[in-house]
Amino acid sequence: LLFVVGTVSCTLFLAVNSLYSASDDVIELTPANFNKEVIQSESLWLVEFYAPWCGHCQRLTPEWKKAATALKGVVKVGAVDADKHQSLGGQYGVRGFPTIKIFGANKNKAEDYQGGRTSDAIVDAALSALRSLVKERLSGRSGGYSSGRQSRESGGGDKKDVIELTDDSFDKNVLNSDDVWMVEFYAPWCGHCKNLEPEWAAAATEVKEQTKGKVKLAAVDATVNQMLAGRYGV
């Protein structure tokens, strides 16, 4: 009797034991939050459907966590206990564990991830999918880029979202920052620079919104800040 009770207890423990916790960068998804977090999101998502007792899932866990940490602020990485939430797994045709889905521009048409089970392979696939998503927005094939296109068509984006940098402010703002920076070195008299200005402003506004300020677009007047321009071989 004691052996049977012990076995039942162990089984119940395994059934409720998640492979992820709130301290991880992996976002735990359930039927209660999946629609709001993933489907209604403009972000790219990688979602693992797993079962806690699955050996393959257990081996993937540290790699999935490592990938989530590397992609933090760039791509969302989530996990669904599909053993506990079978309805959610069934909704996406999950028949084996782990199953990994990529939710890109069209959230109603998730792609199956067939790549390697290492954090490097997962990150590479995420960045490739992210590049495709951004290219779609740039070409106007995705509704997510409409705000940027409207800004450009109405005479350029919001110039205040382009951060002006100088010899004095560059190191403090860029080199000492954890954010990603894209910096244009320009000359006020340059025709190509003038043509780029409204595009750069629109991109700055769009990128600011999409990344919640984690990626910044800036500009340096290379005719004035010659020390900075020389440092970077302009």
Side-chain angles (χ1 to χ4, degrees), residues 22 32 44 79 133 145 154 189:
L44 178 78
L133 174 63
Y145 193 69
S154 62
W189 46 260

Side-chain angles (χ1 to χ4, degrees), residues 151-152 155-166 169 173-174 180-186 193-209 213 215-221:
S151 295
R152 292 190 294 176
D158 196 336
K159 291 182 182 180
K160 71 177 174 55
D161 289 328
V162 177
I163 301 166
E164 286 286 339
L165 296 170
T166 66
S169 67
N173 282 278
V174 179
V180 176
W181 286 76
M182 294 180 69
V183 181
E184 175 206 3
F185 292 82
Y186 72 94
C193 301
K194 291 175 182 176
N195 291 335
L196 176 63
E197 186 178 7
E199 300 286 340
W200 197 248
T205 300
E206 185 73 12
V207 167
K208 181 181 178 181
E209 292 172 357
V215 178
K216 295 177 169 61
L217 268 64
V220 173
D221 184 340

Side-chain angles (χ1 to χ4, degrees), residues 1-13:
L1 178 62
L2 285 174
F3 174 77
V4 172
V5 170
T7 303
V8 171
S9 298
C10 181
T11 303
L12 289 173
F13 173 75

Side-chain angles (χ1 to χ4, degrees), residues 71-125:
L71 293 166
K72 189 174 183 179
V74 180
V75 171
K76 298 289 186 72
V77 178
V80 175
D81 183 343
D83 187 53
K84 181 178 181 181
H85 306 294
Q86 294 181 14
S87 61
L88 193 52
Q91 185 177 335
Y92 291 99
V94 175
R95 294 183 175 84
F97 303 118
T99 293
I100 298 172
K101 301 273 186 180
I102 301 174
F103 292 81
N106 185 352
K107 294 296 192 298
N108 296 316
K109 192 176 181 181
E111 298 177 28
D112 288 316
Y113 170 76
Q114 304 288 1
R117 300 293 174 84
T118 65
S119 56
D120 281 345
I122 294 162
V123 166
D124 285 345

Side-chain angles (χ1 to χ4, degrees), residues 32-49:
N33 70 357
F34 194 90
N35 191 58
K36 180 181 178 182
E37 291 286 343
V38 180
I39 304 303
Q40 295 177 11
S41 167
E42 291 187 344
S43 301
L44 178 78
W45 276 85
L46 265 65
V47 179
E48 175 204 3
F49 293 83

Side-chain angles (χ1 to χ4, degrees), residues 18-81:
S18 174
L19 298 183
Y20 303 98
S21 68
S23 63
D24 302 323
D25 290 318
V26 177
I27 300 167
E28 291 198 83
L29 299 166
T30 68
N33 70 357
F34 194 90
N35 191 58
K36 180 181 178 182
E37 291 286 343
V38 180
I39 304 303
Q40 295 177 11
S41 167
E42 291 187 344
S43 301
L44 178 78
W45 276 85
L46 265 65
V47 179
E48 175 204 3
F49 293 83
Y50 73 93
W53 45 261
C54 162
H56 294 296
C57 302
Q58 292 166 6
R59 285 189 288 276
L60 175 62
T61 298
E63 298 297 316
W64 198 247
K65 289 179 181 179
K66 194 184 298 183
T69 299
L71 293 166
K72 189 174 183 179
V74 180
V75 171
K76 298 289 186 72
V77 178
V80 175
D81 183 343

